[in-house]
Amino acid sequence: MLELSVNSRSAASITAALKKIRDMIMTGAVKKDTPVHIILESGVYKETVRYNLTNPLIMESIPGTDRKNCVIQADNCESFHKGIENRCVFIIGPSATNVTLKNFTIANTHNKISPEGTPIADAAEAFVWNNTSGTLLAENMAFEGRQGTLFAKGFTWFKDCKISGNLDFIYGEPDTSLFESCEIHTRDDDSGDFNSYAVKSLAMAGKSGFVFLNCRFTGEKRKKASLYVFRTAGLGNASSLKNWDSAALINCFVSEVYDPELGWDDDMDLTVYPRGNAKTGWREYNTKIVLKNGKVEEADTSRRNIKSYLMTDDDYFKNYASRYLILHDTPFALVNQ
C-alpha cells in the first residue's frame, strides 16, 4: 500500500498528492492495482479534487478528527465551469475500482443566483460518483451544498453520513445506492421561499435505485412553500434504460415539516414511472414522523402520492430486512460488508 499524509498549508495539496501518485504509476514505480491511502490532517482544503485511477483508494482524516474540522471546499457551479465533471468539488471518474472516504466534509459553498426553479447555471455538486463498475463506501462523511449536492451512478454505500441541500440534492442514475443511518437535511433556500426536494432518482431500469435504511429526514420549514422527500423528472417509461423513479424509505424518521404526500409530480402533470412496488418506484416501509416537540408517531400515509407504494411485512423481510439483502446482488457482495 502507498500511504501519503496531506495538510492544508499548501495550495491544492490533495491535487498535488494525486499528481505525485499518477506520476509514480506512469514511471512504473507504483503498480496500477496498488492500494493508495491518503490521510488528511485537520484544516480547510480550498480546491477541487479529481480521482480517476484504477488503484483502490482510501481517503480519510486522522482518526479522532471531527469531520467538521477537515473540509474540502470550493465555490463552483455550472456558470463558472461547464459540465458536471468541472462544476463539482470532488469527482470520482469511471476508471476507479474501490473507493473509501471516511470522516471529513466535502462542501460546495456556491449560493444560488437564480430566484426560482432548478436552473442549470446554479448546478453545483459537492460530490460526484461518475462510475458504474466500481464501489464507493462513504462513512461518517458530510456532503454540503444547495442544488444537486450529491450525484451517484452505479453502486454506492453511504453510512452514518449527513447530506444537505435544498434542490434535488441527492440525485443521479444509480443501480443501487444505499444510505444507512444517515441524516438527509433540507436546508434553507437562499433565493427565497420556494419548494425544496431531497431526492430525484433517475435510476437504471429495473434496479432498486436510492434506498434509505434507518435514516432521518430533517429540514428547515418554509413560510409557505413545501418540502418533499421525492420528486420526479417525469422522464421514465417502460422502454427507458434509466430515469426510473426508484427510491425507498425503510424504517426512516421523517420530520413533520415535509409534505405528507412525500413525492412531488407537479399535481400529477408529470409521469412517475414505474408505479411503486416492492422492488422499484417510490416505496416505503415503517415510516415514523418526528414532531416539533421531538415526539415520534406512526406516519399517516393516507395522503401519500397515489403512485407510491406501502410495502408489506413480506416485502420487507424478503428484500430489505438487512444490509445483506439490499446489497447481495451488487459488487458489494464481493467486498467486506
Side-chain angles (χ1 to χ4, degrees):
M1 176 178 288
L2 174 62
E3 186 169 286
L4 295 175
S5 293
V6 179
N7 63 65
S8 61
R9 293 188 290 275
S10 300
S13 55
I14 300 173
T15 299
L18 293 177
K19 182 180 183 303
K20 179 179 180 180
I21 294 168
R22 194 161 49 246
D23 292 344
M24 293 172 72
I25 293 171
M26 293 294 292
T27 61
V30 172
K31 295 181 179 179
K32 293 183 178 180
D33 61 354
T34 298
V36 174
H37 187 196
I38 296 179
I39 301 172
L40 305 176
E41 295 183 12
S42 297
V44 178
Y45 298 81
K46 296 182 178 180
E47 59 181 299
T48 57
V49 178
R50 309 284 183 267
Y51 188 82
N52 194 32
L53 301 175
T54 56
N55 301 67
L57 172 68
I58 298 174
M59 183 180 292
E60 62 181 329
S61 66
I62 295 173
T65 302
D66 190 316
R67 67 189 180 194
K68 296 179 181 179
N69 295 328
C70 185
V71 182
I72 301 172
Q73 72 176 41
D75 180 352
N76 202 8
C77 69
E78 177 71 16
S79 62
F80 299 164
H81 301 100
K82 305 296 182 184
I84 191 172
E85 69 278 6
N86 299 314
R87 70 188 184 220
C88 63
V89 174
F90 195 128
I91 184 170
I92 305 291
S95 297
T97 52
N98 301 314
V99 174
T100 299
L101 306 178
K102 288 186 177 182
N103 200 39
F104 61 94
T105 295
I106 302 173
N108 194 326
T109 59
H110 178 69
N111 289 323
K112 289 167 56 183
I113 57 176
S114 301
E116 188 175 4
T118 316
I120 188 64
D122 276 328
E125 291 81 3
F127 178 74
V128 171
W129 174 258
N130 187 27
N131 184 293
T132 58
S133 58
T135 61
L136 167 73
L137 169 60
E139 187 171 1
N140 195 35
M141 294 286 295
F143 302 92
E144 300 176 359
R146 293 190 181 273
Q147 181 174 312
T149 302
L150 189 156
F151 174 91
K153 290 184 176 181
F155 306 96
T156 56
W157 174 15
F158 300 87
K159 185 179 180 184
D160 299 318
C161 295
K162 181 176 181 179
I163 304 94
S164 61
N166 56 35
L167 277 173
D168 305 332
F169 60 92
I170 297 175
Y171 83 109
E173 304 164 1
D175 180 304
T176 302
S177 186
L178 173 61
F179 293 78
E180 181 181 0
S181 302
C182 294
E183 180 182 0
I184 315 303
H185 181 71
T186 300
R187 61 187 298 189
D188 65 299
D189 191 329
D190 54 317
S191 62
D193 189 33
F194 303 115
N195 286 354
S196 287
Y197 314 94
V199 182
K200 185 170 74 174
S201 176
L202 306 168
M204 304 306 293
K207 303 303 182 180
S208 55
F210 294 111
V211 178
F212 298 88
L213 176 66
N214 302 325
C215 290
R216 294 171 293 123
F217 284 77
T218 61
E220 299 176 31
K221 184 177 177 57
R222 307 292 185 264
K223 292 180 180 179
K224 296 181 179 180
S226 298
L227 276 60
Y228 292 89
V229 172
F230 311 126
R231 88 150 153 179
T232 184
L235 301 175
N237 58 67
S239 61
S240 60
L241 299 179
K242 58 183 180 180
N243 296 322
W244 280 33
D245 295 296
S246 290
L249 302 186
I250 313 295
N251 297 329
C252 288
F253 295 84
V254 178
S255 169
E256 68 173 345
V257 300
Y258 285 85
D259 190 287
E261 191 171 1
L262 287 194
W264 180 90
D265 58 359
D266 197 15
D267 293 328
M268 302 172 97
D269 283 345
L270 295 174
T271 299
V272 178
Y273 188 87
R275 182 179 286 272
N277 58 78
K279 294 290 190 67
T280 57
W282 290 344
R283 57 211 191 275
E284 65 178 297
Y285 178 82
N286 192 33
T287 304
K288 298 292 194 300
I289 299 301
V290 181
L291 306 179
K292 294 178 182 178
N293 59 12
K295 292 185 177 180
V296 176
E297 63 180 29
E298 296 293 329
D300 177 3
T301 58
S302 62
R303 291 176 57 190
R304 292 292 191 259
N305 187 291
I306 195 172
K307 296 294 183 67
S308 64
Y309 175 70
L310 299 178
M311 288 188 283
T312 65
D313 289 345
D314 285 345
D315 295 332
Y316 171 70
F317 285 109
K318 184 177 180 180
N319 301 295
Y320 304 99
S322 70
R323 180 192 304 154
Y324 170 79
L325 288 173
I326 297 170
L327 297 177
H328 78 280
D329 60 350
T330 74
F332 281 109
L334 302 177
V335 299
N336 183 20
Q337 292 184 28

